[in-house]
Amino acid sequence: MKLGKVEFCHFLQLIALFLCFSGMSQAELSRSRSKPYFQSGRSRTKRSWVWNQFFVLEEYMGSDPLYVGKLHSDVDKGDGSIKYILSGEGASSIFIIDENTGDIHATKRLDREEQAYYTLRAQALDRLTNKPVEPESEFVIKIQDINDNEPKFLDGPYTAGVPEMSPVGTSVVQVTATDADDPTYGNSARVVYSILQGQPYFSVEPKTGVIKTALPNMDREAKDQYLLVIQAKDMVGQNGGLSGTTSVTVTLTDVNDNPPRFPRRSYQYNVPESLPVASVVARIKAADADIGANAEMEYKIVDGDGLGIFKISVDKDTQEGIITIQKDLDFEAKTSYTLRIEAANKDADPRFLSLGPFSDTTTVKIIVEDVDEPPVFSSPLYPMEVSEATQVGNIIGTVAAHDPDSSNSPVRYSIDRNTDLERYFNIDANSGVITTAKSLDRETNAVHNITVLAMESQNPSQVGRGYVAITILDINDNAPEFAMDYETTVCENAQPGQVIQKISAVDKDEPSNGHQFYFSLTTDATNNHNFSLKDNKDNTASILTRRNGFRRQEQSVYYLPIFIVDSGSPSLSSTNTLTIRVCDCDADGIAQTCNAEAYILPAGLSTGALIAILACVLTLLVLILLIVTMRRRKKEPLIFDEERDIRENIVRYDDEGGGEEDTEAFDMAALRNLNVIRDTKTRRDVTPEIQFLSRPTFKSIPDNVIFREFIWERLKEADVDPCAPPYDSLQTYAFEGNGSVAESLSSLDSISSNSDQNYDYLSDWGPRFKRLADMYGTGQESLYS
C-alpha cells in the first residue's frame, strides 16, 4: 500500500507540473497590466515587469530541484547585463533563482500542512553597476496540496451511554474526525464516516458522524456494553482516500423494565419466644434485574395473622425486607404465625407497565419455639401506700407472679436488697406479702422504690423482676419551728407599737390541706412590758414593742419565748425563743452598734484584774495538760506498741533450774495442779459476764476433759486479767495432766525404785558407760560415800 501511495503522489506531481508550464504566459514578465513606477530624478515611467502567484506541489520526492517558475524583465536583452536576486521567506534555503535566466527552483521537500505559502521579494540589477533596473516587488509561492494526511479523531476513543429499550434512531454520540489537508482544494479533506464494528446494533451518519441505535428493544440485562469501531475516510470515501478509525464504547443505561420477583413462593423461620421486641426475625429479598434506583423496593405485610405482632422494613443498602418483632411472643398463647408479604418497585416506569405488575408476593411462616421463661408478674408496677405510723410487721401489700411455661413451676419471692439497703421491708417467700421490717419516716424518705425478685423453684436461674413503689403517708409527727434563725434588733429610741420583726414557721409534715400555724407568747411572757406579738393569720406573726427607752446599759439582750401550734390532728406545738438585741441606731432606724462592752468595762473589772484572771486560766490549762500526760504514760505499759513488742525482744537468764527436785526456783504446783485456787482479778475495761467459782477437786476424769477444762479456765482468767495486753497473744502452759498410772518415768526417781533389774552389764560396755554402771550397779552405796 505504501508503494501505491508514492506512485499516486508522483502522478499528481506530473499533473501539477503540466498545469504550471501551461500557465507560463501568466508567470512571465509582461508590460501589459503594468503599474506606474516613480523614481526620483526621472520622469514617470511604467513598471517593466509583473507576475502572478506561483504554485508548487508539496511533497516532491524527486532528486532534482523542483521548478517553480521564471522571472523575466523587458529590460533584459539577453546579453547577460541583468541579474536577478531573490529575498524573503525561504530565499536561498528553500528557493533559489538563476541570476542569469530568472528561473526559480525549490531545493527541499515542502509540506503545505507546515506552511501553506511563502512571501518573497524579487529584484533585477544591473550586473556592472549593481543598481536596480526595476523596483523590488513581492510575490507569493503557494504550496499546492495533495492528499497526504489521513483523517484523525482528536477526541477519541469515545464513551457514551444510551437507555436500554430505546427506539431505533435514538442518537447516542457524535464523532468528529479532522483532516489536515486543504479543505478548499479538491476532496482531500472531505470526510465520510462508516461503521466497521457494532452492526447491526448501531449505525452512523456518513456526513455528520452521529451514531444512532439500529435495533429496537436492546436489553441491558442481556448485554450492557458494546464496542464500536468508526472509520473516517477522505476523498469522499472514494478509492484511494486515506482513512482513520476510533473506538466508541456504548453502555446501555438501566430503565425500570423488570418487575421484582421472590425466588421462592414461601419461607419458614423458627424463633424462640424469648426473643426481645425489635429483634430481627428474618430477612427476605425479591430479585430485580434492574440496578440503582430502578431496583429500590418497598415491602409490606398485606395479609396474615401476625399483622400486629410483626412489621417489615427495607434495608436501603441491600434492598432486603427485614421482619422484626413488635410485641412479645408467647409460645403458650400462639405457636405460629403466617404472613403474606408483598414487594414492589418504589418507582415504576409507566412505559413498561404493559409487561405486567411490578410487584410480587410470598408467604412467610414463623414458628415460635418454647423456652424456659422466668416468672412474670401480674403487673409491671405495684403502687402501694402505708402510713409512717404503721407498726413493724404490718402488711403493706401483695405481689403475684407465675411461671408462664406449661410446667407452671412454683415461684419464690425475695427483695433485691440493692434497692432496699436499709432493709425497711420484708416479703414472704411463698405468698409475696410485703411487710414492714423497720419504723418508717416520711420526712426521711417519702417513696421507696424496691425490686421484687421471683424465682422458679425448679430452676432458680430463671428470675423475674417486679417493681413496687411504696408511698409513705404523712402523719402529724413534727412540731412547727422558726423558718430561720432570726437576728432581731430593737433600737434604743424605738417607739411603742413599732414592728421590729416578722416571723414565720415551717413544718416537716405535709398535710393535705396545707399548713396553718398559730402564734402566741408563752404564759410566762404574756405579761412582759417590753414586747408583744400579733398573729397575722397568714402563717406569720409580728413582734412589736410595748414601750420606749430601751438602754443597752440596763439590758442588752431580751429573750422572747414564742408558742407555735400547727393545725394537724392531733395538733403539735413548740416553743421557740426569739433573741432581741438592743442597738444604737441612726436617724433612719438602722442599727449601728449592738455591743454593750463600752458601758460594762468602766463599771466592772480593771484591765489588771482581767490580765490576772487570764493568767490563772492559762495556769489551770497547763496543769490539766500535765495531769493528762502523766496518766497516759502510766497506761502505756498495758499496751505494747510495735517498737516494744515482746515478740521482738530476746531476754536471757543465766539461771539453770535445779531439775524436778528444785522446788525453790518456782512453784511447780502451779503448772502441775489444775486445782490451784487463784485470786480472781477483775479487768476494768471488760465487764465480766460470768462469775467464776472455785472448782472442786478433780477425781477421776478422762485426760481430754482435764485438758479442755484447764485451757478454758486459763482463757477466762486471761479475759479478766487487767495486766493482759488488749490484743490476741499466744499463751503457753506446761501442763501434763494430773498423773499417770505408770507414775513418773524420770531417771532421777529410778535411784529410789525397788526394781529388780540388774544393771551390772553396763560396766562391760566400756569407759563411756562407766558413770551409768556406778549409778545403777550393785554397789549403789558408793554414790553417797
Side-chain angles (χ1 to χ4, degrees):
M1 291 180 65
K2 184 175 180 181
L3 182 61
K5 177 180 178 182
V6 173
E7 292 175 351
F8 178 72
C9 291
H10 287 170
F11 175 74
L12 293 178
Q13 290 174 357
L14 293 176
I15 295 176
L17 289 175
F18 175 77
L19 293 175
C20 290
F21 285 120
S22 65
M24 284 298 296
S25 60
Q26 296 180 357
E28 293 180 348
L29 294 174
S30 174
R31 288 188 177 272
S32 64
R33 296 167 25 189
S34 62
K35 295 183 180 179
Y37 171 70
F38 296 93
Q39 187 176 9
S40 60
R42 296 182 182 180
S43 61
R44 193 183 83 171
T45 60
K46 293 182 179 179
R47 176 179 295 179
S48 301
W49 55 300
V50 294
W51 56 87
N52 291 333
Q53 293 179 342
F54 289 109
F55 294 90
V56 62
L57 195 65
E58 68 170 338
E59 302 293 345
Y60 173 69
M61 304 296 292
S63 59
D64 297 331
L66 177 63
Y67 180 77
V68 176
K70 183 180 182 62
L71 299 180
H72 184 71
S73 175
D74 291 341
V75 180
D76 187 2
K77 302 302 183 179
D79 54 2
S81 61
I82 301 297
K83 69 175 181 178
Y84 300 91
I85 62 175
L86 194 64
S87 62
E89 292 180 312
S92 301
S93 60
I94 299 177
F95 301 101
I96 59 174
I97 188 170
D98 190 333
E99 63 179 13
N100 295 320
T101 62
D103 292 335
I104 300 173
H105 291 80
T107 60
K108 293 184 178 180
R109 182 175 63 86
L110 301 177
D111 188 356
R112 190 200 67 83
E113 286 72 37
E114 294 181 0
Q115 188 165 345
Y117 62 91
Y118 295 85
T119 301
L120 294 95
R121 293 179 296 277
Q123 197 170 25
L125 302 178
D126 187 287
R127 189 180 296 276
L128 296 178
T129 63
N130 207 28
K131 293 183 178 179
V133 296
E134 295 285 349
E136 185 181 62
S137 297
E138 285 186 351
F139 67 96
V140 175
I141 298 178
K142 284 191 173 181
I143 309 303
Q144 192 171 4
D145 184 48
I146 65 172
N147 188 19
D148 60 340
N149 291 278
E150 71 275 5
K152 294 181 179 180
F153 293 91
L154 301 181
D155 297 329
Y158 296 84
T159 58
V162 63
E164 62 174 334
M165 299 294 176
S166 296
V168 175
T170 301
S171 177
V172 179
V173 69
Q174 183 178 17
V175 297
T176 302
T178 57
D179 195 320
D181 293 327
D182 188 359
T184 63
Y185 179 77
N187 296 324
S188 299
R190 295 181 62 185
V191 178
V192 293
Y193 300 93
S194 61
I195 182 169
L196 301 182
Q197 178 180 325
Q199 295 174 330
Y201 305 102
F202 299 93
S203 63
V204 62
E205 288 285 342
K207 294 182 179 180
T208 62
V210 175
I211 299 174
K212 299 180 179 180
T213 57
L215 284 180
N217 301 327
M218 285 191 293
D219 191 1
R220 183 199 66 83
E221 289 72 33
K223 185 177 181 180
D224 62 347
Q225 197 172 79
Y226 297 85
L227 180 62
L228 283 62
V229 177
I230 305 297
Q231 175 183 269
K233 191 174 184 180
D234 57 14
M235 299 298 291
V236 200
Q238 297 177 0
N239 292 333
L242 304 179
S243 64
T245 59
T246 188
S247 63
V248 180
T249 302
V250 180
T251 302
L252 297 183
T253 59
D254 187 54
V255 298
N256 194 5
D257 60 337
N258 292 279
R261 291 291 181 264
F262 284 105
R264 296 164 56 183
R265 292 294 89 192
S266 64
Y267 298 85
Q268 179 173 316
Y269 299 95
N270 294 350
V271 296
E273 63 174 334
S274 60
L275 202 64
V277 174
S279 298
V280 176
V281 174
R283 287 175 173 263
I284 60 174
K285 185 177 181 179
D288 192 330
D290 297 322
I291 58 175
N294 297 319
E296 291 183 356
M297 297 287 181
E298 287 182 340
Y299 296 90
K300 61 181 178 179
I301 302 175
V302 295
D303 195 9
D305 54 359
L307 291 175
I309 306 299
F310 303 93
K311 73 173 183 178
I312 187 168
S313 59
V314 62
D315 187 333
K316 296 186 180 300
D317 295 328
T318 62
Q319 298 302 317
E320 292 177 309
I322 305 174
I323 303 175
T324 55
I325 301 176
Q326 282 187 299
K327 295 181 181 180
D328 291 327
L329 301 178
D330 188 0
F331 173 82
E332 288 70 27
K334 191 172 180 61
T335 60
S336 65
Y337 297 89
T338 302
L339 306 175
R340 188 76 175 169
I341 296 178
E342 179 185 79
N345 278 137
K346 190 174 181 180
D347 298 313
D349 194 332
R351 296 177 299 171
F352 305 103
L353 292 179
S354 59
L355 299 178
F358 276 72
S359 63
D360 194 17
T361 59
T362 188
T363 301
V364 177
K365 187 174 184 179
I366 300 174
I367 305 299
V368 181
E369 297 177 344
D370 187 25
V371 296
D372 191 3
E373 299 176 276
V376 177
F377 283 87
S378 58
S379 174
L381 177 66
Y382 293 88
M384 299 181 183
E385 293 181 347
V386 61
S387 173
E388 62 178 327
T390 189
Q391 299 297 319
V392 174
N394 285 358
I395 297 176
I396 302 175
T398 304
V399 296
H402 69 282
D403 183 6
D405 298 320
S406 56
S407 60
N408 195 17
S409 175
V411 175
R412 295 183 62 83
Y413 303 93
S414 64
I415 294 177
D416 185 356
R417 291 304 175 183
N418 291 325
T419 61
D420 184 26
L421 297 176
E422 300 296 331
R423 295 181 176 267
Y424 284 108
F425 307 98
N426 288 328
I427 188 170
D428 187 273
N430 297 317
S431 63
V433 175
I434 299 175
T435 58
T436 57
K438 284 184 179 181
S439 297
L440 304 175
D441 185 9
R442 189 204 64 82
E443 288 71 35
T444 302
N445 192 354
V447 178
H448 295 266
N449 294 304
I450 63 174
T451 301
V452 177
L453 306 178
M455 295 176 291
E456 291 185 11
S457 299
Q458 298 177 0
N459 186 6
S461 63
Q462 295 296 332
V463 180
R465 286 174 169 78
Y467 303 97
V468 181
I470 302 176
T471 303
I472 310 302
L473 301 179
D474 187 39
I475 63 171
N476 191 24
D477 59 344
N478 291 276
E481 58 187 10
F482 278 157
M484 58 180 294
D485 293 333
Y486 294 101
E487 297 181 357
T488 306
T489 60
V490 60
C491 295
E492 290 182 316
N493 57 356
Q495 299 300 317
Q498 181 179 340
V499 176
I500 61 172
Q501 182 68 58
K502 187 175 183 180
I503 61 174
S504 60
V506 293
D507 193 330
K508 294 181 180 179
D509 297 320
E510 291 184 0
S512 57
N513 297 327
H515 291 290
Q516 181 64 48
F517 301 117
Y518 304 97
F519 300 86
S520 64
L521 295 177
T522 60
T523 305
D524 298 338
T526 303
N527 298 323
N528 80 91
H529 303 290
N530 301 312
F531 305 98
S532 63
L533 180 143
K534 178 185 177 183
D535 193 339
N536 298 324
K537 307 301 182 182
D538 59 354
N539 290 340
T540 64
S542 300
I543 308 301
L544 299 88
T545 58
R546 281 188 171 181
R547 65 179 179 86
N548 57 4
F550 292 94
R551 293 181 60 82
R552 287 179 292 165
Q553 299 89 331
E554 297 175 357
Q555 187 173 349
S556 61
V557 180
Y558 292 88
Y559 299 99
L560 187 63
I562 299 175
F563 188 70
I564 308 175
V565 183
D566 62 16
S567 59
S569 179
S571 61
L572 297 179
S573 62
S574 66
T575 299
N576 298 262
T577 301
L578 182 66
T579 302
I580 304 173
R581 307 181 72 87
V582 181
C583 300
D584 180 24
C585 303
D586 57 12
D588 296 329
I590 300 175
Q592 299 298 317
T593 176
C594 300
N595 191 1
E597 182 180 353
Y599 299 94
I600 295 173
L601 285 177
L605 298 174
S606 64
T607 304
L610 290 176
I611 294 175
I613 293 172
L614 182 60
C616 292
V617 172
L618 292 176
T619 304
L620 288 174
L621 290 176
V622 171
L623 290 174
I624 292 172
L625 290 175
L626 289 174
I627 293 171
V628 172
T629 303
M630 293 178 66
R631 287 185 177 180
R632 287 184 177 178
R633 289 183 178 179
K634 288 182 179 180
K635 293 181 179 180
E636 283 181 359
L638 298 178
I639 302 175
F640 295 99
D641 57 15
E642 294 181 358
E643 296 179 356
R644 298 166 57 184
D645 194 343
I646 60 173
R647 291 171 294 179
E648 298 179 0
N649 299 319
I650 299 176
V651 181
R652 179 177 180 182
Y653 300 96
D654 294 328
D655 184 13
E656 297 183 2
E660 295 180 357
E661 294 182 354
D662 186 1
T663 59
E664 301 295 334
F666 54 89
D667 187 7
M668 292 292 292
L671 298 177
R672 294 181 177 273
N673 192 1
L674 183 63
N675 306 322
V676 177
I677 300 175
R678 298 189 178 185
D679 295 335
T680 302
K681 299 177 183 180
T682 303
R683 188 168 179 170
R684 288 177 292 177
D685 59 344
V686 177
T687 301
E689 298 178 357
I690 302 175
Q691 296 295 332
F692 301 113
L693 302 176
S694 61
R695 300 177 59 85
T697 304
F698 291 106
K699 293 182 180 179
S700 177
I701 304 177
D703 289 342
N704 57 344
V705 176
I706 295 173
F707 284 106
R708 184 167 61 250
E709 293 295 335
F710 174 81
I711 295 173
W712 180 247
E713 182 177 347
R714 294 299 183 267
L715 178 61
K716 291 179 179 179
E717 290 178 1
D719 288 340
V720 298
D721 187 359
C723 297
Y727 49 81
D728 294 338
S729 61
L730 178 64
Q731 301 290 337
T732 304
Y733 302 100
F735 176 62
E736 297 182 359
N738 285 331
S740 173
V741 295
E743 297 182 348
S744 176
L745 300 179
S746 173
S747 62
L748 297 178
D749 292 337
S750 300
I751 192 170
S752 57
S753 65
N754 297 321
S755 175
D756 295 334
Q757 185 172 356
N758 187 4
Y759 294 97
D760 292 339
Y761 61 87
L762 293 175
S763 58
D764 299 333
W765 285 6
R768 292 185 179 181
F769 298 92
K770 185 176 183 302
R771 182 62 178 170
L772 290 176
D774 294 338
M775 293 176 60
Y776 296 97
T778 56
Q780 295 181 2
E781 65 280 358
S782 62
L783 293 174
Y784 304 98
S785 58

